[in-house]
Amino acid sequence: MTQAGFFALVYAAGLAFNLAWGPRRDAVLACALAFPCGLTFWVLGALLGVATGLASAPAFGLGTLVALVVGSAAASLRRACTPISWTRVAACSAAFVAGAVLVSQFSLAKFSPDSHQFLRIAAVFSRGGRLGETAAFLADRGIFTFLSYAAGELAGVDFMFSLAPVVGLSLAALLAVAISRALEREGVDRRTRLLASAGVTAAVMTTYVIAFHMVYIHANLGSALYLFGFGALFWLAERDGDASLLSPALVCLVAFSIHRVEAPVFAALFAVLAAWPSQLPRRLLAAGLFAFGAITAGWLLLLSAAIPSEGEFLTPGRAVLLSAMSLAPLAGLPLAARLPRALVARHLPTAVLVVASVGLAVTFAIKPHHMMTSLEAVVVNLLGVQIGLFGYAWWAALALGALCLATPPSRIARPLLMGVAVSVIVVVLLGFFRVPYRVGPADSAGRMFIHFLPLLYFLYAVKLVPLRRWRASAAEEAG
Amino acid sequence: MGQVILWAYVQLVGLALATACGWARRPMIGCALGFPLGLVAWGSALIALLWLGLPLVAAIGAAAIVLAVAAGAAAWRRRADVDGRALAAAAAALAITAAVAALATAFPLAIVAERGHRILLAATAIGRNVDSIDFIWNILPSPPVFQASLHAAAPLVAGRPFFAALSPLCGIAAVVLLAGGGAELAGRGAGRAVRALLGLVLAAALCSFLFAVQATAVDLHAAAALFVIAFLVAHAIGEESAAPASIWAELLLLLGFALQGLAESVAASAMLLAIYGCDRRDPARLARPIFLYTAVLTAWHLLLWEAIGRRSLTVEPREALALTAAPVLAWAGLLAGTVRLSRPAPRRALALAAAGLLVVGIGLALGWTGDGDPGERWTAAARWFGRYRPGLSDCLLLGLAAVCVPLARGSASAAAAASVCILAAVELLIDLGEPIDPRELAGPLRVAAAAPALLLVMLTGVRLLTARRDETESRLDSAATATTATTATSGTAPARVNLLPAPRGLFAAVVAILLLTNVHHQVRAHRLTLRDARRLLAAGPTSLAGDERQFAYYLMGEWIPGATVVIPPRLADHAVFFRVLGRVAVEIAESTPRLRPDAVAQLAPLRAARRPLYYHVAAESESVYLLPSPRSSRYVLAEASPGTLYLLPEPLYFWSAIPAPGAAGAAR
């Protein structure tokens, strides 16, 4: 099997999943989600192999993909009454395969010591490595990237040098399609939709640090893809009450949560902000959050038993704490259900923001110099144009954020926008538990901000593009 | 011949743009505005394409096609305005442009002074596809990028080092605009006296040192003067005729003026923008054009700011940032100033404010004590005036303009007076803190200031000679009175003027700026990697068979059969790689081994045999190095620096620290 063949298999499995349990009516969106979802299932299968030790990670991953295709086909038959636009499926699939084949012809990979470590561990897993002997390396990196690169042996190459470009292209496709679909639901005309989706996608993907991560072997672009997938799909699902989008959204949330060591914090944060005030069926939300909590918490508990007791990043105690946080969205759902929905929607984001801000203030009070050093590095990395990481992306984000404050609040976008704002605080806060952040492209905080950029611009687009004027006329307000 | 064709093409594009902006109904002025409009469109398109990284040939071709299509499409929508008179005027304008270009090419009178040489140097760099902006920043303290980009095409288009016809064309276009615009603004009732005065003014303009000399020099002055006068004429006539589409032409011309320099022209254009925005009778119509103008200038200066930050040359980043903010602040001021106004702000007050600014500028420039004694500065100023030998016509012009400023009446006169004051004040403010150089006879804005000064003198003279009240002002005042009366009668509050574009527009502008700066950064980075022979897209082998891997952990067993790797406790985690990937024996030492004192001497010959371990497919070196020794099969893994590991022969270490084979702890 070649790399392109592997990508096609993953895509096919993801497509089967989406057509069975995802946005079956919207073939283009299903195709855009196919690769991210398929890759998640590959990783979850491989994770099962690593955790149980019954077979190698690739064998379990491959088995999972095959089982997914079969299971999805069976499920699709039960939903056969919903039509599928096979022409669009074929066109989008052909485009994906052509793109995958194209990027598989060139070696574009960029490395750092972190990349080498990713590939080494991936190689160990692809040759039957077990959890125990690699646990020391898993304490400072998420498992997702290791296992996604573990397919190198299967694909007959040193390493999956085209995986990062394919992930990047998937992010671009999903960003464009999601913006277009969201604006369509907001009643924006076709020309504006096309312009907005193309413009925002181009602006986000050409940001230097994101473009670089399209060829750089690391975990951040994948995190960005999955966090964006969750946020955008949840927005779309909430907008029209379309529960079929919940499945891929929660798959994205699971994938995001195992991308990095600290990712469960952000995953739980977004899950709480999105799910608790949601108007989607509680039963479906509970099932999704149960799957998220079970997988994430289960993996973290397993890891807590294997990793060294001392470390800079993940320790057994922290792993247990994170696993508890992963279960928090599910645990709090019944409580949120008892409260008036409007009350939760109005006050929950503010409450979370206040709590995070207080936490940040406490960390500054305890270690003022340490936290100031971290904060300065974060600010320079984000806003320093001469450094060239984000260019003007965060300047523009700040300007658009100010613009959003001057426009009417949006029920659906507000919790997610607040989630990004709180995440920024949490990133700074996490600096308390480690050596201070530093200025430069290798800094962890600077790279973490990649995760939020696509989602932020998506939310800005869906909030601002439909506004043709600042205030609705009296007639519109009356109507 | 190529030069003639190019400038005729520029004139043609300008005529199409003028038609699109509604100027075909006034064919004479429309044709006079054609050249500056075409020039700014051509220059802006060329700069944008060059900045995006296109080679010069491709940029010229793309700019020509894009402009022809865009201008043609825009003009097609106003085709009903074009009649036989307009067509005849356009044909005449084209013929005049071609004739002037042919004459200037055949008999070049070009003066190339110091700045002209630097412009041509930069043009050569652009023509040879050097990373133009970096190069320009290195050689020019204040880069006239617009002029350099225009002249860069000369070797390709005309087979000459520069366009000798450019400055003459700009000068003649400015004179034609002065004459035509003055005649239009003076009114039909002016009669013979007006025509006589126009003749005098034309003669003064042609004889003026500041104007005539610069109309033959390879420099930015003629173009700057042309854009200022074209803007003034378009604004005054557009305001008089209440032609909404002329706003686009005005802002395009103002953009052309702003792009001439780096600092002073931007600041001056921002102030002109604020003054004329407040002066408009219909400020609400300005929203989109001014917003676009602000966005373009802001993007341009953000790019410059980025380049400046890397170079730290003449213009400091904070100054550039202030300049970046200037158009935005002007726009914000305009927004704040007009949002509650239901009629134009008093023009005389604006002119007086501009004159006050001029006084403050002069005072600050001469009395500035930052760098020395104020007395010395006054002396230097006096010396400057003493050595100033521009000729009688210039003295006459300056004196007349100074007299005319307080006499200015009417929209066009007040606008011209305000422009003179603004341009002169900005010129002085830009020089703030530096002594006036007596040799500096023509600063970038001093020539530009001469153009509105001529217009001001001409209009004031016409008013005094004909002793008539300016009809334009009368009409404006009566219109304003009517508006107020209507408002009072209806009893409703004046309509709020909303200059702020819709959220959608602001969002689009922010995204467009972000995209532009991102693309520029990517292109620049790519060109830098090309220069260092490091391509962004490094094509390499697409895949490798398993046995070709040159990967430390894989090949250790192949390179040194029967090898054993001894790993100190701190690096014990690495055991899994050697065991699983290299399938070599691994021992974990009980304590950290130490290098022998003579190890360095023994390492020196081994360094030649160092085996970097890398992924062939990416030409990427691993951070693990092997120094093989023919006598050793046991190697110790040592960390030379964080993340860089060496496998060194065991004899280089103290034996006491290495456990005997089999006696050490089992491999993890």
Side-chain angles (χ1 to χ4, degrees), chain B residues 189-344:
Chain B
R192 193 179 299 170
V194 170
R195 289 199 290 273
L197 184 70
L198 284 180
L200 281 175
V201 169
L202 276 175
L206 288 171
C207 294
S208 167
F209 173 84
L210 287 178
F211 207 70
V213 170
Q214 295 300 336
T216 55
V218 177
D219 211 327
L220 55 90
H221 302 310
L226 169 64
F227 286 125
V228 167
I229 196 71
F231 166 71
L232 280 174
V233 168
H235 169 74
I237 298 178
E239 184 73 350
E240 183 191 347
S241 60
S246 78
I247 295 170
W248 289 100
E250 291 167 38
L251 286 175
L252 201 58
L253 293 165
L254 196 57
L255 181 68
F257 171 63
L259 289 177
Q260 291 305 310
L262 175 67
E264 58 276 78
S265 61
V266 176
S269 77
M271 294 173 67
L272 289 172
L273 170 70
I275 293 284
Y276 292 109
C278 288
D279 190 36
R280 290 297 302 207
R281 185 165 34 178
D282 48 356
R285 292 183 188 278
L286 283 173
R288 282 188 181 182
I290 289 188
F291 181 69
L292 190 67
Y293 168 85
T294 309
V296 169
L297 266 192
T298 305
W300 167 245
H301 277 84
L302 286 176
L303 297 176
L304 286 182
W305 183 41
E306 194 185 357
I308 290 165
R310 285 194 296 270
R311 298 289 169 205
S312 299
L313 290 179
T314 309
V315 181
E316 293 293 329
R318 59 190 168 83
E319 293 172 356
L321 188 60
L323 286 168
T324 305
V328 178
L329 287 177
W331 175 63
L334 179 62
L335 175 70
T338 56
V339 79
R340 289 185 179 278
L341 291 176
S342 59
R343 65 185 179 83

Side-chain angles (χ1 to χ4, degrees), chain A residues 3 104-113 115-117 119-121 123-124 127 129 132-134 136-137 152-153 156-159 161 188-189 192 196 199-200 202-209 211-212 385-388 390-393 395-397 399-400 403 407 457 460-461 464-470, chain B residues 301-303 305-310 317 498 500-507 510-515 517-519 521-522 525 535-546 548-551 553-554 573-574 576-577 579-583 613-624 642-643 645 668:
Chain A
Q3 273 192 107
S104 299
Q105 304 305 310
F106 303 100
S107 165
L108 303 174
K110 304 290 178 205
F111 284 72
S112 71
S115 316
H116 285 293
Q117 198 183 60
L119 296 183
R120 277 199 295 267
I121 309 288
V124 168
R127 294 188 168 199
E133 55 196 358
T134 53
F137 296 99
E153 198 81 12
V157 290
D158 265 3
F159 64 98
F161 53 78
V188 176
D189 61 281
T192 310
V200 173
V204 169
M205 299 309 292
T206 52
T207 301
Y208 172 75
V209 72
F212 177 70
V385 177
Q386 272 78 41
I387 289 185
F390 286 96
Y392 290 101
W395 283 102
L400 292 174
L403 193 58
T407 54
Y457 274 84
Y460 284 154
L464 295 175
V465 172
L467 294 180
R468 297 176 68 91
R469 63 194 70 170
W470 287 89
Chain B
H301 277 84
L302 286 176
L303 297 176
W305 183 41
E306 194 185 357
I308 290 165
R310 285 194 296 270
N498 189 7
L500 201 62
R504 169 190 294 194
L506 288 170
F507 177 78
V510 171
V511 170
I513 289 175
L514 179 60
L515 178 60
T517 51
N518 281 347
V519 169
H521 184 88
Q522 297 284 354
R535 287 174 181 276
L536 189 65
L537 305 177
T542 55
S543 65
L544 290 173
E548 288 182 5
R549 288 194 181 99
Q550 300 185 39
F551 188 12
Y553 301 110
Y554 288 102
D573 298 332
H574 287 254
V576 64
F577 302 129
R579 241 175 20 84
V580 177
L581 305 180
R583 306 202 186 284
L613 308 154
Y614 59 90
Y615 293 101
H616 190 191
V617 70
E620 182 67 27
S621 174
E622 240 286 6
S623 52
V624 183
L645 303 175
R668 289 173 56 173

Side-chain angles (χ1 to χ4, degrees), chain A residues 31-45:
Chain A
C31 291
L33 285 167
F35 184 77
C37 288
L39 190 63
T40 305
F41 283 107
W42 158 269
V43 167
L44 291 179

Side-chain angles (χ1 to χ4, degrees), chain B residues 128-483:
Chain B
R128 292 183 183 174
N129 296 324
V130 178
D131 188 355
S132 55
I133 296 305
D134 279 351
F135 189 76
I136 289 168
W137 279 112
N138 278 322
I139 62 170
L140 296 179
S142 178
V145 180
F146 189 90
Q147 292 290 326
S149 303
L150 288 179
H151 284 292
L156 278 172
V157 174
R160 301 192 178 219
F162 60 90
F163 288 125
L166 178 58
S167 287
L169 278 170
C170 289
I172 288 173
V175 170
V176 170
L177 269 169
L178 266 177
E184 286 271 348
L185 292 169
R188 294 181 187 280
R192 193 179 299 170
V194 170
R195 289 199 290 273
L197 184 70
L198 284 180
L200 281 175
V201 169
L202 276 175
L206 288 171
C207 294
S208 167
F209 173 84
L210 287 178
F211 207 70
V213 170
Q214 295 300 336
T216 55
V218 177
D219 211 327
L220 55 90
H221 302 310
L226 169 64
F227 286 125
V228 167
I229 196 71
F231 166 71
L232 280 174
V233 168
H235 169 74
I237 298 178
E239 184 73 350
E240 183 191 347
S241 60
S246 78
I247 295 170
W248 289 100
E250 291 167 38
L251 286 175
L252 201 58
L253 293 165
L254 196 57
L255 181 68
F257 171 63
L259 289 177
Q260 291 305 310
L262 175 67
E264 58 276 78
S265 61
V266 176
S269 77
M271 294 173 67
L272 289 172
L273 170 70
I275 293 284
Y276 292 109
C278 288
D279 190 36
R280 290 297 302 207
R281 185 165 34 178
D282 48 356
R285 292 183 188 278
L286 283 173
R288 282 188 181 182
I290 289 188
F291 181 69
L292 190 67
Y293 168 85
T294 309
V296 169
L297 266 192
T298 305
W300 167 245
H301 277 84
L302 286 176
L303 297 176
L304 286 182
W305 183 41
E306 194 185 357
I308 290 165
R310 285 194 296 270
R311 298 289 169 205
S312 299
L313 290 179
T314 309
V315 181
E316 293 293 329
R318 59 190 168 83
E319 293 172 356
L321 188 60
L323 286 168
T324 305
V328 178
L329 287 177
W331 175 63
L334 179 62
L335 175 70
T338 56
V339 79
R340 289 185 179 278
L341 291 176
S342 59
R343 65 185 179 83
R347 286 170 296 280
R348 261 175 248 167
L350 291 169
L352 284 175
L357 183 67
L358 174 62
V359 172
V360 171
I362 292 171
L364 283 174
L366 297 181
W368 180 257
T369 55
D371 282 344
D373 183 8
E376 287 181 12
R377 293 189 166 278
W378 283 102
T379 312
R383 203 180 307 132
W384 184 79
F385 281 107
R387 290 187 185 178
Y388 186 58
R389 297 280 187 272
L392 184 61
S393 60
D394 281 351
C395 286
L396 184 65
L397 178 62
L398 289 172
L400 283 175
V403 170
C404 290
V405 167
L407 295 175
R409 298 287 186 278
S411 176
S413 302
S419 301
V420 175
C421 293
I422 286 171
L423 294 170
V426 172
E427 179 75 21
L428 285 167
L429 286 171
I430 291 294
D431 291 341
L432 191 67
E434 291 181 6
I436 296 173
D437 186 354
R439 294 167 300 178
E440 187 72 28
L441 292 181
L445 294 192
R446 289 171 207 171
V447 182
L454 278 168
L455 188 66
L456 172 64
V457 170
M458 187 170 67
L459 293 177
T460 310
V462 168
R463 192 175 71 82
L464 293 175
L465 285 172
T466 56
R468 289 185 179 188
R469 194 161 179 271
D470 188 289
E471 292 178 12
T472 307
E473 186 180 22
S474 170
R475 278 203 294 275
L476 283 174
D477 286 348
S478 56
T481 309
T483 309

